[in-house]
Amino acid sequence: MSRRCIDCPNITTTGRRCPTCATAHHRRRGTREERGYDTEWRRTRLVVLARDRGICQVRLKCDGAPATTVDHIVALANGGARLDPTNLRAACQACNSAKGAR
């Protein structure tokens, strides 16, 4: 299926961005470590997933689906603690995406 790139008028068949814009977007976005997903985050993430038994605690789009991500209860932009386990909960991809979109 062909569609317009979300960043320019080019047509793409591979996704939301044409190859040129996708490369530029990834360069602007930074590495996972630059965005805060470092070794400390990965360790904390595993602790939270184990604590919540791998079950989604958000439950916006599911009814306790298997959790693959970790969600900040109070967003970092609103002063939430990045690595505090009391500010983190296990979330499935659907619930985490839905919450992030709000």
Side-chain angles (χ1 to χ4, degrees):
M1 178 168 118
S2 298
R3 64 177 85 170
R4 254 185 219 287
C5 172
I6 63 173
D7 292 334
C8 74
N10 291 337
I11 302 295
T12 180
T13 58
T14 58
R16 296 169 28 115
R17 290 184 170 86
C18 69
T20 303
C21 291
T23 300
H25 172 74
H26 286 294
R27 241 186 259 125
R28 284 190 310 268
R29 193 169 179 214
T31 66
R32 136 178 102 182
E33 284 78 16
E34 290 169 342
R35 293 190 325 259
Y37 300 107
D38 54 8
T39 302
E40 212 173 350
W41 167 257
R42 289 191 292 273
R43 284 185 191 133
T44 304
R45 177 184 169 276
L46 291 175
V47 167
V48 171
L49 287 172
R51 177 197 69 197
D52 294 343
R53 297 186 183 133
I55 298 171
C56 180
Q57 304 297 306
V58 181
R59 298 182 184 202
L60 287 174
K61 295 271 186 183
C62 73
D63 190 23
T68 57
T69 65
V70 172
D71 172 57
H72 286 92
I73 298 166
V74 177
L76 299 179
N78 296 334
R82 182 173 90 90
L83 297 171
D84 181 2
T86 62
N87 187 42
L88 298 170
R89 62 185 168 185
C92 69
Q93 187 65 48
C95 288
N96 201 11
S97 295
K99 183 175 180 266
R102 290 189 302 166

